[in-house]
Amino acid sequence: MTGRRRRSHGEGSVYEQRPGVWAAVVDLGWIDGKRKRKYVYAKSEAEAVRKRDELRRQLQLGVDLSAQPRTLEAWLTEWLRDVKAHDGTRPSTLVRYRLAVSKHLVPGLGRVKLDRLTPRDVQRFLTGLRGKLAPASIIKVHAVLRVALADAERMDLVPRNVAKAAKPPALGRTERRALTPEEAKTLLSVLTGDRLESLFVLALATGLRRAELLGLRWSDVDLPGGALFVRQTLQRTDHGLEFVPPKTHRSARPLPLSALAVRALEAQRVRQAKERLAAGEVWSDLGLVFASTIGTAMEPRNVNRRFEQLRAAAGLDWLHLHDLRHAFATFLLDQGEELRTVMELLGHSTIRMTADTYGHVLPARARQAASAIDRILGQEGTA
């Protein structure tokens, strides 16, 4: 070896292994009864020194440099299997994580060594998704990678979460079309007599999510008291349809019922009693408010398909089932209800989420507030 230069104890050493190839070695100490060292290589002495210093920095941060190098694909597989499957992550969230990993992260970055992944790698990957996925979908894929690398950092597998330095595309604010009261009345008339009429009416009258509606039990409904309680949801998981607790403590909430909602539930009770009688012994008594014709959980996609048929009959081809939830919130805000009240009824985790989602309603209320000042001060018509 030529040009060998030793550093003081604890710093490691840098030396020229052969012309044009420099090596840096850092002593990892005694591990499992053996003296372990970590070697890296470079084309110049300066680069080798930089790599050695990076190794020393990682050691100080607690990174296990003795661990066998693994690819990002290997870590994501381990992460899903050994970490997320056992840390309380909701089954439906796990399904979305696995989809992002298998369809996007592994094909795009899977071969990169976990400890060699850089912010530039992640940024180029995100840029490459433009045109293939909507900005909102790219943001979700980036979020999955960020969470996976956060766990890798917590377990001392990497010195930092490089996904934090990469920027996904800006989502941009799009003006959501809101259902008008007139359109809502047209939809209600089309729903009349349909088997799922009560489900769709309740969605509009309470703002409940589809999963909350399909998980609702009669034991969660207090018709004399005019209230219902969100205590479980129906989610599709790797094991099929499952009933799971609401996502957050705010999602598990009581809801007052309007007269419209009470009538819809009373009609549903009558309709279901007839179906139960017709089903006879094959009826599965799960206690669900909205069930199949034999009492079992309903397939969520079938609910959406039926709604799409009904919205078309109402001349509202742009309307989605989830838009009924937005219509509920918009109607309340238009009538002057407080943002915090709407937040609690929707089960949002923060008031900021409600404000961001329904900000398009607030400008009209702000104009009304400005007009109120004119009325109070007697300045109407003087501007």
Side-chain angles (χ1 to χ4, degrees):
M1 298 180 202
T2 63
R4 186 178 181 112
R5 183 176 70 192
R6 292 198 174 275
R7 307 289 177 182
S8 60
H9 181 70
E11 288 191 357
S13 61
V14 172
Y15 58 90
E16 189 177 22
Q17 188 179 56
R18 63 178 183 271
V21 178
W22 286 78
V25 57
V26 172
D27 192 342
L28 304 182
W30 291 89
I31 301 174
D32 297 330
K34 295 182 180 179
R35 195 78 178 185
K36 298 285 187 177
R37 295 177 177 84
K38 179 74 173 181
Y39 291 84
V40 290
Y41 302 92
K43 295 180 180 180
S44 68
E45 180 181 15
E47 184 183 0
V49 169
R50 182 184 60 77
K51 288 187 174 183
R52 180 210 59 192
D53 291 344
E54 174 61 20
L55 288 177
R56 292 177 59 214
R57 188 181 72 84
Q58 292 184 28
L59 272 178
Q60 292 172 352
L61 291 172
V63 178
D64 184 6
L65 295 179
S66 66
Q68 288 295 318
R70 70 188 82 191
T71 62
L72 179 63
E73 178 180 5
W75 165 242
L76 290 173
T77 301
E78 178 184 339
W79 176 68
L80 289 171
R81 183 189 65 235
D82 300 336
V83 180
K84 302 313 291 180
H86 306 286
D87 69 352
T89 299
R90 287 167 62 85
S92 57
T93 302
L94 272 176
V95 171
R96 292 196 297 271
Y97 281 177
R98 291 193 178 103
L99 186 65
V101 167
S102 63
K103 281 191 167 291
H104 305 294
L105 292 172
V106 167
L109 293 169
R111 294 183 180 180
V112 180
K113 289 288 192 295
L114 179 62
D115 59 352
R116 299 286 183 87
L117 188 66
T118 67
R120 185 183 180 193
D121 292 330
V122 178
Q123 191 65 64
R124 292 177 65 181
F125 164 70
L126 295 175
T127 301
L129 292 179
R130 293 176 183 268
K132 300 177 183 177
L133 296 178
S137 297
I138 298 176
I139 289 172
K140 291 176 181 178
V141 172
H142 177 239
V144 173
L145 179 61
R146 196 172 63 246
V147 173
L149 292 182
D151 280 328
E153 182 181 17
R154 177 177 58 81
M155 298 171 70
D156 295 332
L157 299 177
V158 294
R160 64 175 180 137
N161 185 345
V162 297
K164 287 183 177 180
K167 292 185 178 181
L171 187 56
R173 181 178 291 275
T174 56
E175 190 71 21
R176 181 188 296 274
R177 180 175 176 183
L179 191 70
T180 67
E182 292 72 23
E183 289 171 333
K185 291 174 183 177
T186 299
L187 178 65
L188 288 174
S189 66
V190 170
L191 295 177
T192 302
D194 191 81
R195 181 178 180 272
L196 298 184
E197 174 187 1
S198 295
L199 188 154
F200 299 136
V201 170
L202 200 63
L204 183 60
T206 63
L208 286 173
R209 303 173 177 93
R210 181 186 67 180
E212 294 169 342
L213 289 162
L214 297 182
L216 189 66
R217 297 163 295 192
W218 287 113
S219 59
D220 301 322
V221 177
D222 177 11
L223 283 178
L228 64 78
F229 303 86
V230 179
R231 295 187 175 119
Q232 70 172 16
T233 66
L234 181 68
Q235 300 282 349
R236 177 162 293 285
T237 72
D238 292 337
H239 307 292
L241 292 175
E242 290 188 2
F243 295 104
V244 299
K247 187 172 184 179
T248 68
H249 74 281
R250 288 194 181 275
S251 295
R253 63 199 187 279
L255 280 175
L257 295 175
S258 63
L260 176 65
V262 170
R263 288 196 298 270
L265 286 166
E266 289 173 341
Q268 176 61 14
R269 177 162 276 175
V270 172
R271 182 180 291 110
Q272 191 176 87
K274 294 178 181 178
E275 291 182 345
R276 182 170 187 163
L277 186 63
E281 294 182 355
V282 300
W283 181 266
S284 296
D285 192 7
L286 300 181
L288 297 172
V289 174
F290 302 109
S292 71
T293 54
I294 58 171
T296 56
M298 293 182 65
E299 170 56 56
R301 287 173 294 188
N302 291 341
V303 174
N304 280 67
R305 290 191 188 102
R306 183 54 185 158
F307 183 76
E308 289 167 2
Q309 295 169 348
L310 293 168
R311 75 179 184 191
L316 300 169
D317 290 334
W318 58 271
L319 190 67
H320 298 283
L321 178 57
H322 198 71
D323 290 330
L324 299 185
R325 174 173 166 84
H326 294 297
F328 167 77
T330 301
F331 292 161
L332 292 183
L333 290 170
D334 275 340
Q335 291 301 307
E337 291 296 335
E338 294 295 330
L339 196 62
R340 177 162 290 279
T341 300
V342 175
M343 178 198 84
E344 292 171 352
L345 292 174
L346 293 176
H348 281 169
S349 57
T350 66
I351 197 167
R352 178 178 178 179
M353 179 186 297
T354 313
D356 287 347
T357 306
Y358 299 103
H360 64 284
V361 181
L362 300 180
R365 293 184 60 199
R367 286 193 294 273
Q368 293 172 8
S371 298
I373 291 294
D374 286 336
R375 290 195 299 272
I376 292 169
L377 300 179
Q379 299 297 309
E380 290 181 300
T382 62

